Amino acid sequence: MKHFELKKLQQYLNSKFESTNFTIKEEVKNNSCELYFKDEFIGLIYKDVEDGEVSYQFHMTILDEDLLDS
């Protein structure tokens, strides 16, 4: 993903959730990036281009042991 796409995604998430805590860090692969809330990694965002349409998919894994911490 290009730098301007990462910025647009970050702005969108912060606006959508009324926050300033979402940050998108370095690209993992050409079609994905890492999403953080404050300093905690929470998932990956993948870019999907199909039939000329662009969409972004968010993938978050929640471990059973993490549920015990809440």
Side-chain angles (χ1 to χ4, degrees):
M1 276 190 264
K2 297 188 180 347
H3 182 71
F4 77 93
E5 291 176 291
L6 302 177
K7 283 293 185 192
K8 282 178 29 178
L9 285 168
Q10 182 174 307
Q11 289 172 345
Y12 172 81
L13 290 166
N14 281 311
S15 173
K16 191 70 169 175
F17 294 101
E18 298 178 356
S19 175
T20 57
N21 295 311
F22 286 103
T23 55
I24 294 179
K25 296 195 179 176
E26 56 189 84
E27 298 177 49
V28 177
K29 296 180 184 173
N30 201 22
N31 67 340
S32 67
C33 58
E34 297 177 340
L35 179 63
Y36 289 80
F37 185 76
K38 298 183 180 178
D39 289 328
E40 184 176 354
F41 172 78
I42 61 169
L44 294 171
I45 298 176
Y46 295 93
K47 179 180 179 180
D48 184 33
V49 180
E50 188 173 321
D51 298 329
E53 294 186 16
V54 178
S55 63
Y56 300 92
Q57 298 177 18
F58 172 61
H59 179 85
M60 179 179 185
T61 301
I62 302 170
L63 301 174
D64 188 45
E65 62 192 46
D66 291 338
L67 298 176
L68 300 174
D69 292 340
S70 55

